[in-house]
Amino acid sequence: KQAMAELGYPARLGEIMGSQVTVSHYGASGTTYFRNGPHPFEKTAWLACLKLAKPDVVIMAFGTNCSRTNTWPRLHDQYANDIKWTMARIRSVNSNADIYICLPPPAYSDTWDVSEPTIRDAVIPALRKVAEQEHCITIDLHTALSNHPELFPDTIHPNEEGMKQIARTIADRLYETRKDINRPAGAR
């Protein structure tokens, strides 16, 4: 998991945000938020890590793996409740934590059965609804990365510049919504 953090957008977010925040990464590649689906995120060590960190801000980024054509049709009716279950676990660690929900980036093909129509027409509306119900702030990675297939060499996963764009989009939203986080001097 350490290599993933060193290479992924969380490391880029830490570089952008500077020393005023600590960015930790508890993601698990290939997992879904479906508790009864394939590769459930709930079965990773994320909650134990979260209990140690007790973060003030949690950024949830998911949806791409959940959109798979062999998963979404069977489990879509569980999606909102499974996300809310995860949020309840986060709030059990810090009831005052601000939770941000990232809308997933676009998929530029159906590689690995990932479905852009499902992301766009089902996952994103579901995430927006959960964010509204749970009083969370959304971060729109889908719009930020739309029309940029060059950032996704395998059509699903971002390259280095794509990870930087994800990190910039998240940072911009944090600067916009958090009064306690300031844009470092010289940052865009």
Side-chain angles (χ1 to χ4, degrees), residues 76-109:
H76 70 276
D77 59 335
Q78 300 171 27
Y79 193 57
N81 286 335
D82 288 350
I83 293 168
K84 289 177 184 179
W85 181 90
T86 302
M87 289 177 171
R89 304 292 79 68
I90 292 166
R91 289 185 172 131
S92 75
V93 172
N94 179 353
S95 61
N96 295 316
D98 288 331
I99 300 174
Y100 289 73
I101 297 177
C102 292
L103 306 180
Y108 288 98
S109 78

Side-chain angles (χ1 to χ4, degrees), residues 99-120:
I99 300 174
Y100 289 73
I101 297 177
C102 292
L103 306 180
Y108 288 98
S109 78
D110 59 1
T111 302
W112 298 294
D113 296 321
V114 170
S115 170
E116 172 58 19
T118 300
I119 290 172
R120 183 188 59 238

Side-chain angles (χ1 to χ4, degrees), residues 3 6 8 19 31 38 43 59 61 67 82 157 168 170 180:
E6 290 170 1
S19 61
T31 59
K43 294 191 177 173
I59 298 167
S67 78
D82 288 350
H157 302 97
R168 283 190 294 266
I170 293 170
D180 60 333

Side-chain angles (χ1 to χ4, degrees), residues 10 13-15 17-26 53-59 174 181:
L13 181 61
E15 292 166 4
M17 303 297 291
S19 61
Q20 65 183 321
V21 300
T22 300
V23 176
S24 300
H25 182 233
Y26 306 127
K54 294 187 172 96
D56 297 319
V57 175
V58 175
I59 298 167
L174 290 171
I181 300 176

Side-chain angles (χ1 to χ4, degrees), residues 7 39-40 43 51 59 72 74 85 93 95 107 118-119 123 132 134 138 144 158 171 173-174 185 188:
L7 298 174
H39 313 292
K43 294 191 177 173
K51 285 179 180 177
I59 298 167
W72 185 265
R74 299 186 285 118
W85 181 90
V93 172
S95 61
T118 300
I119 290 172
V123 171
E132 182 179 337
E134 296 294 317
T138 57
R173 192 70 164 133
L174 290 171
R188 106 170 159 81

